């Protein structure tokens, strides 16, 4: 009778561990895909944000100079 309980328990453990293995694989894939997308966005968008920052600085300097000249 103990062998029947062990068989049913071992079957339950295998399906659960198989599900856990699938979860681990999906988690690793999500991390890899997210890291790749993040790296690509960092490489392409970072220079754009730097350019926008320079543009805002230049426009601010021009506005301040214009404001000082109108006194």
């Amino acid at each position: 009778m103990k062998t029947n309980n062990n068989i049913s328990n071992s079957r339950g453990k295998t399906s659960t561990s198989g599900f856990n293995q699938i979860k681990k694989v999906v988690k690793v894939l999500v991390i890899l895909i997210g890291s790749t997308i993040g790296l690509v966005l960092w490489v392409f968008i970072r220079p754009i944000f730097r350019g926008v920052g320079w543009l805002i600085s230049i426009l601010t300097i021009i506005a301040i100079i214009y404001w000082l000249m109108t006194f």
Side-chain angles (χ1 to χ4, degrees):
M1 194 135 185
K2 288 183 179 180
T3 55
N4 288 340
N5 288 338
N6 288 337
I7 291 172
S8 65
N9 285 341
S10 67
R11 286 183 186 163
K13 288 180 183 177
T14 353
S15 65
T16 307
S17 68
F19 182 69
N20 286 338
Q21 288 175 350
I22 292 172
K23 279 177 47 176
K24 287 179 183 178
V25 170
V26 169
K27 185 177 180 181
V28 168
L29 286 175
V30 167
I31 289 172
L32 286 175
I33 291 170
S35 298
T36 305
I37 291 173
L39 184 64
V40 168
L41 289 177
W42 177 71
V43 166
F44 288 112
I45 291 186
R46 185 178 57 142
I48 294 171
F49 282 149
R50 283 187 178 174
V52 169
W54 278 104
L55 182 64
I56 291 171
S57 298
I58 291 170
L59 290 175
T60 304
I61 290 171
I62 292 172
I64 290 171
I65 292 172
Y66 175 76
W67 178 69
L68 289 173
M69 297 297 275
T70 57
F71 269 130

